[in-house]
Amino acid sequence: MNQDKAHESHGHPSVEFVYLNTNAEIKFHAKWDDKLSLVWDKAYGELKEARRPNDQLECQTGESLMANLDLTLQELRERNICKARKFQIRSETGGA
């Protein structure tokens, strides 16, 4: 954990994502000035998944972040939005 704290103090906060369709989890470091949309895109690459048209980004507490995609991680922190930087990707599931 100390390494994570060191990264955060040097401009590299950790972010966590859960892809709800598979429950796959990833964690990586971003930059405070990265926009949420960029971090979300990187998460897809880390998960080896493709974004689907109706995918939604949420805080792991369940609140939608779709209106905040143009905010940086720093702006999210300043506005107390998803302060733990733990996100989830909600996709429509395939149906019969």
Side-chain angles (χ1 to χ4, degrees):
M1 263 331 234
N2 289 340
Q3 189 175 17
D4 284 343
K5 297 283 185 205
H7 281 292
E8 287 187 29
S9 65
H10 289 97
H12 301 290
S14 64
V15 294
E16 296 179 29
F17 283 81
V18 175
Y19 188 62
L20 295 177
N21 276 11
T22 62
N23 288 325
E25 297 181 27
I26 52 139
K27 182 177 181 179
F28 59 90
H29 288 96
K31 295 180 182 174
W32 287 114
D33 61 353
D34 284 347
K35 287 189 176 189
L36 184 56
S37 58
L38 176 73
V39 178
W40 188 19
D41 286 341
K42 183 174 181 180
Y44 280 105
E46 296 282 328
L47 289 162
K48 296 177 177 52
E49 295 286 348
R51 185 181 297 191
R52 297 176 184 180
N54 294 319
D55 282 1
Q56 298 285 311
L57 183 63
E58 300 173 341
C59 189
Q60 283 186 11
T61 57
E63 66 225 70
S64 175
L65 296 169
M66 297 306 290
N68 301 307
L69 295 177
D70 285 334
L71 297 179
T72 64
L73 293 179
Q74 176 66 33
E75 291 169 324
L76 290 174
R77 179 170 70 167
E78 290 169 357
R79 296 176 189 195
N80 294 317
I81 300 170
C82 207
K83 285 176 56 173
R85 294 177 308 280
K86 294 182 179 184
F87 307 103
Q88 62 189 22
I89 299 170
R90 182 173 304 281
S91 287
E92 286 185 347
T93 56

